[in-house]
Each structure stands twice: as structure tokens, then as C-alpha cells.
Amino acid sequence: GAGVSQTPSNKVTEKGKYVELRCDPISGHTALYWYRQSLGQGPEFLIYFQGTGAADDSGLPNDRFFAVRPEGSVSTLKIQRTERGDSAVYLCASSLDKFQRSDYEQYFGPGTRLTVT
Amino acid sequence: AQSVTQLDSHVSVSEGTPVLLRCNYSSSYSPSLFWYVQHPNKGLQLLLKYTSAATLVKGINGFEAEFKKSETSFHLTKPSAHMSDAAEYFCVVSRPTNAGGTSYGKLTFGQGTILTVHP
């Protein structure tokens, strides 16, 4: 079956611009996560959705970052006034977790590589 | 708070020899622990997970890991390396389901270990 997909695969933008990154989770997965992976680092948690609501947004670095999941499926990560330090690979993952358990497998997408010039 | 330390940023082995990738964790609770692999230009894939059942966990592609609470370690091993094992490996910790709070499923990744396999 189809896995997690993310679009675009690559995005180059100028400093100060607004960008949107899209994630299509596996059908039927209620839990969705965003992570950010900087060069040479492991992924870092940004935000977790259970259905339509953001259950944990403690990883968002500042108020320039915002994510939505209006219908409980597709999610969009939005970054305003981009800065060069935002350059990274943004990963999306989904899981079947309906009970906020920690041991459900998260299935990752290929990521969106964001470059801010 | 929880954290993960991968003790080697790079490991190089010859094909057919054993693989050992080391990981130590810190957690306020008995954690769930995972190993993920990331091949170039591909998404992260789960190799195996420990969730307080058997301490020796077997995963895909011949990998296994042993949870040692006394040493706070979760090292990944494979008896015989294949060329296809060359990738980056991440040790990951997550809070257990009975920990309280709302951070369930929030994964904390180590820095990663790049495995190179020589012919």
C-alpha cells in the first residue's frame, strides 16, 4: 500500500518568504508527527496531531512555525518569515496510535528538504 | 526528561564481520526504545523496538538489540554485515504509556551512527 508522502521533495526559498510543506499520512492513521532533521543531526520532534487537534506542539521552535490538520488526514506545516537557520529536512510520520501509546510504529515519509537562501 | 547518546558517529566493518552500534539512554521512566535505519534518499525505517517485554529484541534483516537496564544501554548488533546494511542508524527513546502527560509517541533521536561496509 501507499506509504507516507510529502510534497514538495525539495523547496528553495528566499529569506523572509512564507512556505508550506505538505504531508499525506497512511490512510487510517490517526496520529501524525512532524520532525526536523538538520544536517548531521538526528530528527527533532516538532508537533504531534491526534486526529484534527495538535496534542503536543512543544517542539515548535517559535511562533513562525504553525501546523494544521483540518480534516484529520493531510497536514500542512507552515513557516512564516523564513530564516537561513530553518534550512533542514522536514519529516512527517504517521501511526495507528489511537490511545496515545508510545510503542506504536511510526511510518516516516521521505521528507522535504528546505533550503533558505 | 529523556535523552539518547550514540557513542560512535561512524562505524566501519568488512562484509561478513559482526556489527556493533552502541547506544546509551537516559529516561525518568522505563522507556520504549527503538532502532531506525535511514538509507540515502529514503525514509526512516523501523528495525526493532523494545517495550518492556523480552530484553533481547530481534528485528528485521538479522539485527537484534539487548536492553540492559543496569547499564542504561540498548546496543544494536548483527552477526554478519552485508553491503546492503550501509546506512545511518538512529537509536530512539520514547516515553512509556503510563508516564502521564501528553507526550506519548514523541520520539527522541540520537545523533546517528553511519555504518560503512567494505567488501
Side-chain angles (χ1 to χ4, degrees), chain A residues 59-78:
Chain A
L60 294 177
N62 51 59
D63 61 6
R64 296 187 297 105
F65 288 75
F66 189 71
V68 295
R69 195 186 185 199
E71 297 178 357
S73 179
V74 170
S75 176
T76 304
L77 179 65
K78 308 180 181 195

Side-chain angles (χ1 to χ4, degrees), chain B:
Chain B
Q2 55 200 24
S3 65
V4 174
T5 301
Q6 293 184 242
L7 300 173
D8 306 291
S9 58
H10 290 82
V11 169
S12 181
V13 301
S14 297
E15 190 175 22
T17 65
V19 175
L20 170 63
L21 305 183
R22 298 182 296 164
C23 171
N24 286 105
Y25 69 91
S26 172
S27 178
S28 303
Y29 304 91
S30 294
S32 294
L33 291 161
F34 309 80
W35 276 96
Y36 278 82
V37 61
Q38 188 173 38
H39 287 93
N41 301 317
K42 293 193 175 180
L44 286 156
Q45 181 184 18
L46 180 67
L47 274 180
L48 51 80
K49 66 180 181 183
Y50 165 77
T51 55
S52 73
T55 57
L56 182 62
V57 182
K58 294 187 183 300
I60 61 172
N61 300 334
F63 284 94
E64 63 182 38
E66 186 171 8
F67 173 72
K68 292 186 176 181
K69 186 174 181 179
S70 61
E71 299 176 9
T72 60
S73 69
F74 191 58
H75 302 333
L76 181 70
T77 60
K78 183 173 181 178
S80 176
H82 294 164
M83 297 294 292
S84 61
D85 294 329
E88 187 163 19
Y89 292 78
F90 292 96
C91 183
V92 183
V93 64
S94 179
R95 295 179 66 175
T97 57
N98 59 352
T102 58
S103 293
Y104 304 150
K106 174 180 172 180
L107 302 181
T108 300
F109 284 75
Q111 298 281 67
T113 298
I114 295 173
L115 176 64
T116 303
V117 182
H118 298 287

